[in-house]
Amino acid sequence: MADVFKALADETRRRILDALAVRDGQTLFEICSHLIARHGINSSRQAISQHLAVLESAGLVTVEWQGRSKLHYVNRAPLEDITQRWLHPGKDPA
Amino acid sequence: MADVFKALADETRRRILDALAVRDGQTLFEICSHLIARHGINSSRQAISQHLAVLESAGLVTVEWQGRSKLHYVNRAPLEDITQRWLHPGKDPA
DNA sequence: GCATTATGCAAGTATCTGCTTGCGTGTCAA
DNA sequence: TTGACACGCAAGCAGATACTTGCATAATGC
């Protein structure tokens, strides 16, 4: 839960999720190209790779290796958990 | 939007929202007491005050002065905006 | 008025975070 | 097998962030 909020706190990482929402299953290079082309983000490959690692450890992105390429997919389940806890609280959070 | 995620990225600030969810309209001192009693958070008054300022500028908390006391109220509207954008995207976010 | 209470402001510090740089590993194709 | 490609790992650095400390401001009660 904490990891999800921290992952979403960064603008570049939110853009990455946007990119994957447009087309799921992109590789690292494809995501980099997408960010440069559509969002004016000009970070290095390594920077984006580290962002993807954060998103993955937060459960917001799942990966699938295919040869030497790593495909990234969005996972919205953690976001739904957030709404369950913060917008439709069924039980006392304290 | 960015401010909301950054505000929620901190554990103590999420606890503050929890405290206000239990009882809305608390003062700074009441929130401090609540955090110490129920969450084992032992930050100073100033630290909590700064967290409240972050929550307020993110629109997650609204305030109302009553004499020399400042009452804090939760505002869930920004959270609903988040779910609208990330879980029920009506339009292309790119 | 004077002390107390509730809070804000501002500077300093230590830790965290995002980014870069350089190198290493595994995969594919010729 | 050799070179190119896609990616990971690790160290170092600059800026951001959370916290503390000290002082200031405004309202309440005697």
Side-chain angles (χ1 to χ4, degrees):
Chain A
M1 172 70 112
D3 292 338
V4 177
F5 285 113
K6 286 194 176 182
L8 291 172
D10 186 82
E11 172 72 17
T12 302
R13 285 195 286 268
R14 292 195 296 274
R15 294 300 182 194
I16 291 174
L17 291 180
D18 287 338
L20 291 177
V22 172
R23 185 166 68 82
D24 219 6
Q26 296 188 61
T27 68
L28 173 56
F29 271 155
E30 289 171 332
I31 294 170
C32 287
S33 305
H34 191 119
L35 292 177
I36 292 171
R38 299 207 199 183
H39 301 286
I41 294 172
N42 211 346
S43 299
S44 70
R45 173 187 65 87
Q46 287 84 346
I48 304 300
S49 175
Q50 287 167 2
H51 281 307
L52 284 168
V54 173
L55 289 168
E56 187 181 346
S57 74
L60 287 163
V61 162
T62 60
V63 297
E64 182 187 342
W65 278 98
Q66 192 163 325
R68 61 184 165 182
S69 294
K70 192 183 188 182
L71 308 183
H72 300 81
Y73 299 88
V74 184
N75 179 25
R76 289 186 176 78
L79 290 169
E80 288 164 6
D81 293 344
I82 289 176
T83 66
Q84 286 301 315
R85 174 153 192 272
W86 293 83
L87 286 177
H88 314 294
K91 51 192 67 173
D92 192 339
Chain B
M1 171 73 110
D3 291 339
V4 177
F5 285 113
K6 285 194 176 182
L8 291 172
D10 186 84
E11 172 71 18
T12 302
R13 285 195 286 267
R14 292 196 296 273
R15 296 298 182 197
I16 290 174
L17 291 180
D18 286 339
L20 291 177
V22 172
R23 185 166 67 83
D24 220 5
Q26 295 188 64
T27 68
L28 173 57
F29 269 156
E30 289 171 332
I31 293 170
C32 287
S33 305
H34 191 119
L35 292 178
I36 293 171
R38 299 208 198 181
H39 302 285
I41 292 173
N42 211 347
S43 300
S44 69
R45 174 188 65 84
Q46 288 84 347
I48 304 300
S49 175
Q50 288 167 3
H51 282 307
L52 284 168
V54 173
L55 289 168
E56 187 180 346
S57 73
L60 287 163
V61 162
T62 60
V63 297
E64 181 187 343
W65 278 98
Q66 192 162 323
R68 62 183 166 184
S69 293
K70 192 182 186 182
L71 308 183
H72 300 81
Y73 298 89
V74 184
N75 179 25
R76 289 185 175 78
L79 290 169
E80 289 165 5
D81 293 345
I82 288 174
T83 65
Q84 286 301 316
R85 173 151 192 277
W86 293 83
L87 287 177
H88 315 294
K91 51 192 68 175
D92 192 339

